[in-house]
Amino acid sequence: MRKVAVLAFALAAWPAAAQQATPQIVDDSIPRSLTGRPGDPSRGRAIVANRSVGLCLLCHSGPISEERFQGNLAPSLAGAGSRWSEGQLRLRIVDGSRLNADTIMPAYYRTGGLQRVARNFEGRPILSAEQVEDVVAYLVTLKD
């Protein structure tokens, strides 16, 4: 039997666009797109590589050879699409602490119940729903 849990965050903690369809966690994933449509892998790659937007390469390494000084604190993004499903990747980006309470990865889409949030991000997600979907679309292309 599949375990379904509605995200335990207050609706007020989610951006208005996401409130139309409250994301649901099914087992260890959010199987449905936050926007209702697929993301763009090329925009997702740009977000992952951008050190001002996604900051992914601060902790992760990945198959983005033009970017130097990639991180080694977190799993490599190479092969992410082989290791995790689209929904599993989505949950990890939205709020990785749902899977690992001790993670150092920020919740890129959750806005409530966070600590030590920079003033300019209070009440705002780091990535928009569309940006989350773009990153997911890119990561699922990374097969071994």
Side-chain angles (χ1 to χ4, degrees), residues 18-116:
Q19 289 181 20
Q20 295 172 353
T22 303
Q24 289 186 335
I25 296 174
V26 178
D27 297 326
D28 64 345
S29 73
I30 298 175
R32 294 198 174 142
S33 167
L34 301 177
T35 62
R37 57 190 183 282
D40 179 279
S42 61
R43 286 193 314 247
R45 185 184 191 281
I47 292 166
V48 169
N50 188 308
R51 293 183 188 269
S52 298
V53 178
L55 297 169
C56 303
L57 299 180
L58 181 65
C59 295
H60 297 276
S61 62
I64 304 176
S65 59
E66 69 274 14
E67 291 298 323
R68 297 176 54 198
F69 310 114
Q70 297 186 20
N72 62 4
L73 296 173
S76 172
L77 299 177
S82 296
R83 291 191 304 272
W84 297 294
S85 71
E86 179 180 317
Q88 289 171 320
L89 289 164
R90 186 174 294 110
L91 177 57
R92 282 161 172 76
I93 296 164
V94 165
D95 183 11
S97 70
R98 299 285 300 198
L99 301 166
N100 175 1
D102 296 325
T103 188
I104 61 171
M105 184 166 162
Y108 279 90
Y109 193 65
R110 180 169 61 103
T111 60
L114 303 171
Q115 299 176 14
R116 297 184 305 257

